[in-house]
């Protein structure tokens, strides 16, 4: 059975990775030094996949923590230790643990190989954080410098009051490792790293990840679609519909490939693939729509037909702006050259249903 050559919804590795030649080169260059990197883009632009590819190509040890999955400061410290324990031989760090002020409880599932790290409830969060963070610096070496990736970094603001200050105080003292901080909420990430009063003001090199260039995406899709017909017009339709959004371009290309490979559809294949995807997600879109308030529904309805909601006479500018910020934070809307709906399939669903 032939494997679908397009992938979405997970971190993408070779051979599914779409070349980001310039970004790859920039990240590699800066990771050769001890510069920390802050990478910002809307959700589903491929930040995590890009960083994973860079780390694999420069062959350095790394740990990755998604801050959205962190429940507390103690949990953050536990996740750091868990990843270190999985990355390095126990002999490398056993003697370091003896210096911990509160030794963690480590348990392993013999069947699955999974590991869990926990602390006593009475342990102070600040202490376990310091011990765990200091271990990062102790295990790194000049020949194998550690890379620490913190995804959805803006969540540090909601974890605990003062957590960002303590984290920054520890990180600025560390040497011999790189931090790569990823974030999808641009306004929050910009505040964290660009406001002078923020603890992380100018902490590292600030990079914005944009959509994949059309020329790169065109070649990528052309090489992977079945060559049973002239595929160039099909590729143009795909890119025109998705606007080169990394996630949705892969999703639509995947559906088009299946239509061509298994059903031998060529005429109107993009329209058929779009219709199939909208039908498959009909209940999901309905659930999303029902979870929105009336103001947000009005704003999305205006965006769905390609209009500017800030010019609408139905709502005040302040109400519309508040809604746009709320929808942007929730991932429904992205702001590039103006505001637009993030999901082209949800956008078309709105056009057809409303």
């Amino acid at each position: 059975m032939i494997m679908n050559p397009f992938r979405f919804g997970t971190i993408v590795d070779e051979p599914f990775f779409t070349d980001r030649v310039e970004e790859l080169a920039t990240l590699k260059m800066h990771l050769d030094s001890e510069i920390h990197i802050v990478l910002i883009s809307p959700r589903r632009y491929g930040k995590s996949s890009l960083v994973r590819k860079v780390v694999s190509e420069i062959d350095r040890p790394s740990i990755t923590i998604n801050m959205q999955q962190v429940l507390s400061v103690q949990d953050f410290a536990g996740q750091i230790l868990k990843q270190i324990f999985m990355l390095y031989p126990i002999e490398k760090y056993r003697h370091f643990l003896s210096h911990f002020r509160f030794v963690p409880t480590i348990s392993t599932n013999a069947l699955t190989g999974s590991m869990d790290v926990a602390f006593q409830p009475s342990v102070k969060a600040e202490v376990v954080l310091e011990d765990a963070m200091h271990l990062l610096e102790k295990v790194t070496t000049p020949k194998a410098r550690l890379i620490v990736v913190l995804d959805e970094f803006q969540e540090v603001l909601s974890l605990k009051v003062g957590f960002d200050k303590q984290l920054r105080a520890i990180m600025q003292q560390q040497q011999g490792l790189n931090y790569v901080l990823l974030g999808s909420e641009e306004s929050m990430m910009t505040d964290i790293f660009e406001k002078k009063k923020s603890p992380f003001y100018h902490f590292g090199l600030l990079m914005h990840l944009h959509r994949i260039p059309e020329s790169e995406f065109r070649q990528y899709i052309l090489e992977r679609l079945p060559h049973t017909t002239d595929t160039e017009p099909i590729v143009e339709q795909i890119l025109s519909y998705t606007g080169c959004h990394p996630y949705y371009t892969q999703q639509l290309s995947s559906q088009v490939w299946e239509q061509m490979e298994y059903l031998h559809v060529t005429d109107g294949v993009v329209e058929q693939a779009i219709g199939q995807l909208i039908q498959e997600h009909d209940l999901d879109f309905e659930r999303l729509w029902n979870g929105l308030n009336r103001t947000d529904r009005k704003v999305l309805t205006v965006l769905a037909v390609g209009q500017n909601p800030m010019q609408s006479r139905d709502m005040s500018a302040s109400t519309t702006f508040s809604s746009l910020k709320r929808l942007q934070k929730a991932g429904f809307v992205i702001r590039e050259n103006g505001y637009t709906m993030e999901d082209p399939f949800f956008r078309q669903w709105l056009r057809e249903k409303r």
Side-chain angles (χ1 to χ4, degrees), residues 207-325:
M207 293 179 58
H208 289 265
L209 190 64
H210 302 289
R211 300 190 183 210
I212 295 173
E214 184 175 332
S215 58
E216 291 185 22
F217 238 150
R218 181 184 295 108
Q219 186 61 32
Y220 176 87
I221 302 170
L222 279 171
E223 292 174 354
R224 287 160 175 78
L225 286 181
H227 292 87
T228 56
T229 184
D230 182 10
T231 55
E232 289 196 13
I234 295 174
V235 175
E236 292 299 325
Q237 279 186 275
I238 292 172
L239 295 176
S240 176
Y241 186 82
T242 63
C244 290
H245 188 295
Y247 179 91
Y248 298 109
T249 301
Q250 290 271 13
Q251 185 179 26
L252 181 53
S253 298
S254 174
Q255 189 69 31
V256 167
W257 182 89
E258 291 189 1
Q259 298 280 340
M260 296 178 70
E261 181 68 29
Y262 298 129
L263 302 180
H264 308 295
V265 176
T266 54
D267 294 337
V269 64
V270 177
E271 292 86 351
Q272 186 165 322
I274 292 170
Q276 182 67 30
L277 286 169
I278 292 174
Q279 181 179 350
E280 289 176 358
H281 293 281
D282 180 71
L283 290 177
D284 297 326
F285 293 152
E286 189 73 41
R287 189 160 41 249
L288 290 173
W289 180 256
N290 290 336
L292 297 170
N293 62 42
R294 291 185 180 276
T295 301
D296 292 350
R297 290 181 185 182
K298 287 182 180 180
V299 170
L300 286 180
T301 300
V302 173
L303 285 173
V305 296
Q307 297 178 2
N308 184 353
M310 293 300 295
Q311 298 176 350
S312 174
R313 298 180 179 179
D314 294 337
M315 297 174 289
S316 68
S318 60
T319 299
T320 302
F321 183 74
S322 296
S323 174
L324 285 168
K325 298 298 288 183

Side-chain angles (χ1 to χ4, degrees), residues 76-324:
F76 178 64
Q79 291 199 36
I80 290 175
L81 296 180
K82 178 179 177 180
Q83 297 235 11
I84 290 176
F85 298 162
M86 295 173 65
L87 187 61
Y88 295 103
I90 190 169
E91 292 78 12
K92 184 176 180 66
Y93 56 77
R94 186 194 297 273
H95 66 286
F96 292 133
L97 292 180
S98 63
H99 299 290
F100 272 38
R101 286 163 286 182
F102 294 93
V103 179
T105 300
I106 305 170
S107 58
T108 304
N109 188 314
L111 295 178
T112 64
S114 61
M115 180 183 298
D116 189 35
V117 178
F119 299 94
Q120 294 294 328
S122 60
V123 172
K124 291 184 178 180
E126 295 78 8
V127 173
V128 297
L129 177 64
E130 289 176 1
D131 284 351
M133 292 289 289
H134 289 157
L135 186 57
L136 292 172
E137 188 176 15
K138 290 175 181 177
V139 297
T140 190
T141 66
K143 291 184 178 180
R145 291 186 297 113
L146 181 65
I147 298 174
V148 181
V149 182
L150 302 181
D151 207 348
E152 299 298 347
F153 185 74
Q154 69 275 351
E155 297 299 321
V156 300
L157 297 180
S158 60
L159 198 60
K160 183 181 179 181
V161 176
F163 174 58
D164 56 336
K165 293 181 180 180
Q166 186 187 9
L167 196 61
R168 175 67 168 90
I170 298 171
M171 292 165 69
Q172 70 181 358
Q173 300 296 328
Q174 293 179 316
Q175 297 181 353
L177 70 163
N178 296 95
Y179 282 98
V180 181
L181 311 178
L182 314 181
S184 59
E185 294 185 21
E186 184 171 3
S187 60
M188 292 181 66
M189 289 289 286
T190 301
D191 286 348
I192 292 172
F193 296 101
E194 292 295 291
K195 280 194 173 182
K196 289 187 177 181
K197 293 184 178 180
S198 170
F200 279 91
Y201 175 67
H202 284 186
F203 174 73
L205 175 71
L206 190 63
M207 293 179 58
H208 289 265
L209 190 64
H210 302 289
R211 300 190 183 210
I212 295 173
E214 184 175 332
S215 58
E216 291 185 22
F217 238 150
R218 181 184 295 108
Q219 186 61 32
Y220 176 87
I221 302 170
L222 279 171
E223 292 174 354
R224 287 160 175 78
L225 286 181
H227 292 87
T228 56
T229 184
D230 182 10
T231 55
E232 289 196 13
I234 295 174
V235 175
E236 292 299 325
Q237 279 186 275
I238 292 172
L239 295 176
S240 176
Y241 186 82
T242 63
C244 290
H245 188 295
Y247 179 91
Y248 298 109
T249 301
Q250 290 271 13
Q251 185 179 26
L252 181 53
S253 298
S254 174
Q255 189 69 31
V256 167
W257 182 89
E258 291 189 1
Q259 298 280 340
M260 296 178 70
E261 181 68 29
Y262 298 129
L263 302 180
H264 308 295
V265 176
T266 54
D267 294 337
V269 64
V270 177
E271 292 86 351
Q272 186 165 322
I274 292 170
Q276 182 67 30
L277 286 169
I278 292 174
Q279 181 179 350
E280 289 176 358
H281 293 281
D282 180 71
L283 290 177
D284 297 326
F285 293 152
E286 189 73 41
R287 189 160 41 249
L288 290 173
W289 180 256
N290 290 336
L292 297 170
N293 62 42
R294 291 185 180 276
T295 301
D296 292 350
R297 290 181 185 182
K298 287 182 180 180
V299 170
L300 286 180
T301 300
V302 173
L303 285 173
V305 296
Q307 297 178 2
N308 184 353
M310 293 300 295
Q311 298 176 350
S312 174
R313 298 180 179 179
D314 294 337
M315 297 174 289
S316 68
S318 60
T319 299
T320 302
F321 183 74
S322 296
S323 174
L324 285 168

Side-chain angles (χ1 to χ4, degrees), residues 25-41:
T26 300
L27 287 171
K28 287 180 182 178
M29 177 181 65
H30 291 296
L31 287 175
D32 277 342
S33 66
E34 289 193 22
I35 292 176
H36 305 307
I37 296 171
V38 179
L39 188 59
I40 304 174
S41 79

